[in-house]
Amino acid sequence: MAASGSGGSRADNGYGSQQPRRRRGPGALGTAYLVIYNVVMTAGWLVIAVGLVRAYLAKGSYHSLYYSIEKPLKFFQTGALLEEYLLIAKYLPGIVPSSVVLTAFQVMSRVFLTWAVTHSVKEVQTEDSVLLFVVAWTITEIIRYSFYTFSLLNHLPYLIKWARYTLFIVLYPMGVSGELLTIYAALPFVRQSGLYSISLPNKYNFSFDYYTFLILVMISYIPIFPQLYFHMLHQRRKVLSHTEEHKKSE
Amino acid sequence: VEPNATIREIRLMFHKLYPRWYPARQSIKLDPKGKSLRDEEILQHLPVGTTATLYFKDLGPQIGWTTVFLIEYTGPLFIYFLFYFRMPFVYGLDERFTSSPHPVVNLACICHSFHYIKRLIETVFVHRFSHGTMPLRNIVKNCLYYWGFAAWLAYYINHPLYTPPSYGKKQINFAVIMFLLCEAGNFSIHVALSDLRRNGSKIRKIPYPTKNPFTWLFFFVSCPNYTYEVGTWISFTIMTQCVPVGLFTLLCFIQMTIWAKDKHCTYLREFKDYPSLRMSIIPFLL
């Protein structure tokens, strides 16, 4: 969990933002809860990863792998909503507001993909694009949660830190591509079935076209994704070069 | 600089040196992290020694509040008309310039227009602003919000497939009466607030109820103008029975509650004898 993992790497409190130094850590009990939470989340995503591998080995092909990990995926991805809520409500200490907004976007888009697209439009569940983003998310989340776990315990192996701030370079575009392709694949089915759409006339004088909404969501990736990506690149430069200095001074 | 110079004079001097930064754009502070100094402050009354160090921060291009309000409120007024008169590009060529068979649609147009005309009149004749300006980029954000929502709700109310309220005339009449009462209330409060600053002073004073019954809400809330404003939009929602209007009302309510709570806290901080019965926006509740 992104808490002010006291001591450890000062430039990084989990979300890689400036940490106000005067803020104290969450205390022993709080840290314990956070460690448990992060361990559980790491384990959860590992379960998903293992499930994927096993299903692949069993079936021999990579179609329909979604079904083998559907439930844990929904559970753990939605769990991230709770995490985000706690961040926003400031029950978690040491977080800078700007990063809350960015991570909120990410969590919202993930939950949206999981429930409002993949779960709702059954026909896309066999698409390869689903696998693409599931794999990307799985690897990212395993690294992220183990990063938080180790940070909290003040024993962060450089490998994990490096992985967190480097692998995203490939995983981010991979995930985004998978997400966009999945939404795109869902479009014709949404149009056909009128899913989540309401049209005039009706008592409440309201209309909503889910098809158009999905297209707008896809378009919104264009301004948002580069910002997130460059933010992470910036963080990477800051964090990894900071560690170099630490090492040199030792 | 003379010891009895005011911050305003310092700002003017600074502006002469740096023409680019006109006074409204300057934020002058004693401490880089502190609050900006007000125009009326006099140099020798500030906690400085024989030489004072002042920090300057550029607030970015500024625009006057009055200008902002005029632009913000004129937009919705005319945008609504585009939909009411059914311009060809809105509902398609077949429906162009037609009019709705429902009287409530005409009523809604009158009410909506009345509301914004009233706001424009208040901006010019009634409001007295404590800060002269706001940052320029706020106007883009604000206009998008006001104009966008006006377009969105006007679209549905004036749509050829609009459905009038379920409870018919009873619902509409009730809504109209509520609307008028709230508009009158809102106006009364604005006048009362502006009377507090009659001679152009910028000192904050506690507003009190006057002989006007609408101002008696001051017994119960710090910001009855916001209370009445929310009431106006609730009545408009009831009148049109339209979800987008309801959503707009909800957002207005959230925004105004934030402003009201802020104001309420400021009052409590500045005045030790502030009436304890008062809540910020909803009597006894919020």
Side-chain angles (χ1 to χ4, degrees):
Chain A
M1 189 65 112
S4 50
S6 35
S9 43
R10 264 183 301 137
D12 188 337
N13 66 351
Y15 280 85
S17 310
Q18 309 87 348
Q19 178 183 335
R21 258 153 249 197
R22 57 181 185 271
R23 221 190 281 258
R24 287 164 299 158
L29 190 62
T31 312
Y33 276 131
L34 289 170
V35 170
I36 294 174
Y37 176 85
N38 283 303
V39 167
V40 165
M41 293 304 267
T42 313
W45 285 93
L46 276 167
V47 160
I48 295 173
V50 167
L52 283 171
V53 172
R54 283 180 58 186
Y56 177 65
L57 292 174
K59 294 207 178 108
S61 85
Y62 50 81
H63 296 291
S64 314
L65 286 186
Y66 170 75
Y67 299 106
S68 50
I69 44 88
E70 183 179 357
K71 286 207 172 43
L73 177 71
K74 285 177 179 169
F75 182 77
F76 287 102
Q77 188 56 75
T78 315
L81 261 183
L82 172 69
E83 185 183 330
E84 189 59 30
Y85 167 71
L86 290 177
L87 265 181
I88 293 177
K90 305 242 165 108
Y91 289 126
L92 296 181
I95 307 301
V96 174
S98 62
S99 63
V100 172
V101 172
L102 291 178
T103 52
F105 262 120
Q106 197 172 328
V107 170
M108 293 273 82
S109 82
R110 294 252 190 105
V111 170
F112 180 76
L113 251 301
T114 308
W115 289 100
V117 180
T118 316
H119 168 79
S120 306
V121 187
K122 307 240 180 300
E123 295 87 341
V124 302
Q125 287 168 2
T126 49
E127 289 280 333
D128 295 344
S129 53
V130 173
L131 191 63
L132 197 59
F133 71 74
V134 169
V135 168
W137 292 0
T138 308
I139 302 177
T140 310
E141 296 300 79
I142 293 174
I143 298 174
R144 186 165 76 98
Y145 284 114
S146 45
F147 175 87
Y148 293 156
T149 311
F150 286 117
S151 293
L152 285 166
L153 299 172
N154 289 328
H155 278 292
L156 182 65
Y158 183 72
L159 180 65
I160 305 261
K161 178 192 259 186
W162 178 88
R164 178 165 188 233
Y165 283 99
T166 310
L167 294 183
F168 80 89
I169 295 178
V170 164
L171 291 176
Y172 233 28
M174 193 171 139
V176 166
S177 310
E179 292 172 27
L180 286 174
L181 285 168
T182 309
I183 300 177
Y184 185 71
L187 286 177
F189 301 107
V190 167
R191 180 47 114 215
Q192 213 174 26
S193 65
L195 182 67
Y196 300 148
S197 301
I198 181 171
S199 61
L200 291 175
N202 61 71
K203 203 160 55 151
Y204 297 110
N205 294 305
F206 182 59
S207 69
F208 183 70
D209 186 18
Y210 195 47
Y211 182 84
T212 316
F213 181 72
L214 285 177
I215 294 184
L216 289 173
V217 167
M218 287 175 72
I219 295 178
S220 73
Y221 271 76
I222 299 176
I224 295 176
F225 168 66
Q227 279 190 51
L228 286 172
Y229 197 61
F230 286 120
H231 173 78
M232 284 298 284
L233 279 173
H234 183 69
Q235 291 303 115
R236 174 169 199 263
R237 229 168 292 141
K238 219 169 46 159
V239 169
L240 292 186
S241 66
H242 201 271
T243 320
E244 300 270 305
E245 285 167 29
H246 264 271
K247 281 190 173 166
K248 281 181 198 152
S249 60
E250 272 158 25
Chain B
V1 181
E2 297 297 314
N4 60 357
T6 61
I7 299 291
R8 174 183 285 125
E9 286 163 14
I10 294 178
R11 285 208 166 108
L12 287 168
M13 281 191 262
F14 195 84
H15 176 45
K16 282 210 186 76
L17 281 175
Y18 299 100
R20 189 168 172 244
W21 289 319
Y22 44 85
R25 203 168 153 164
Q26 302 170 22
S27 165
I28 304 214
K29 312 179 202 187
L30 283 174
D31 172 25
K33 294 206 182 69
K35 287 184 66 168
S36 198
L37 294 171
R38 296 195 312 262
D39 270 345
E40 309 82 51
E41 308 239 26
I42 299 178
L43 199 52
Q44 63 192 17
H45 292 163
L46 294 171
V48 292
T50 43
T51 54
T53 312
L54 296 170
Y55 293 91
F56 160 77
K57 182 175 171 204
D58 179 19
L59 294 170
Q62 298 283 302
I63 184 166
W65 271 95
T66 312
T67 319
V68 169
F69 274 9
L70 288 176
I71 300 177
E72 270 177 20
Y73 297 153
T74 318
L77 189 60
F78 289 108
I79 289 175
Y80 196 96
F81 289 146
L82 291 177
F83 291 88
Y84 178 72
F85 291 114
R86 296 194 180 159
M87 293 286 134
F89 50 82
V90 173
Y91 298 114
L93 287 171
D94 292 333
E95 300 282 355
R96 67 180 186 275
F97 305 125
T98 53
S99 56
S100 170
H102 309 294
V104 68
V105 173
N106 303 323
L107 189 59
C109 182
I110 295 174
C111 288
H112 189 265
S113 311
F114 175 80
H115 181 74
Y116 281 102
I117 293 174
K118 167 182 155 292
R119 282 206 198 179
L120 286 168
I121 293 177
E122 282 172 348
T123 305
V124 176
F125 296 112
V126 178
H127 288 313
R128 295 185 210 283
F129 300 107
S130 45
H131 297 286
T133 64
M134 69 150 82
L136 191 58
R137 69 186 81 89
N138 273 14
I139 198 177
V140 177
K141 200 171 41 120
N142 288 2
C143 279
L144 257 159
Y145 174 75
Y146 278 105
W147 294 20
F149 258 108
W152 195 42
L153 55 93
Y155 174 78
Y156 286 105
I157 299 173
N158 298 296
H159 200 280
L161 294 175
Y162 172 75
T163 315
S166 313
Y167 295 100
K169 280 218 166 70
K170 267 192 292 198
Q171 186 171 337
I172 299 172
N173 292 339
F174 170 77
V176 173
I177 294 174
M178 183 175 171
F179 177 84
L180 290 171
L181 287 175
C182 288
E183 290 287 70
N186 183 262
F187 184 71
S188 311
I189 303 297
H190 284 154
V191 168
L193 286 173
S194 118
D195 279 347
L196 288 178
R197 291 198 178 149
R198 205 169 303 169
N199 42 10
S201 78
K202 289 195 181 166
I203 315 169
R204 223 193 294 271
K205 287 192 268 192
I206 305 179
Y208 283 109
T210 67
K211 292 205 190 59
N212 182 342
F214 286 113
T215 61
W216 294 350
L217 204 49
F218 269 121
F219 281 122
F220 303 107
V221 284
S222 299
C223 301
N225 50 324
Y226 293 143
T227 316
Y228 283 121
E229 180 74 23
V230 175
T232 304
W233 285 105
I234 292 177
S235 71
F236 196 64
T237 311
I238 297 173
M239 194 193 300
T240 54
Q241 196 167 301
C242 180
V243 163
V245 182
L247 281 172
F248 182 63
T249 307
L250 182 66
L251 286 179
C252 280
F253 174 65
I254 293 173
Q255 176 68 84
M256 290 194 194
T257 306
I258 295 175
W259 289 338
K261 279 200 173 295
D262 221 19
K263 201 84 201 275
H264 186 68
C265 284
T266 313
Y267 279 145
L268 284 174
R269 248 201 339 254
E270 280 192 23
F271 303 110
K272 297 289 174 283
D273 57 339
Y274 197 71
S276 54
L277 183 62
R278 290 191 192 180
M279 303 299 285
S280 45
I281 187 171
I282 303 181
F284 308 118
L285 289 179
L286 198 55

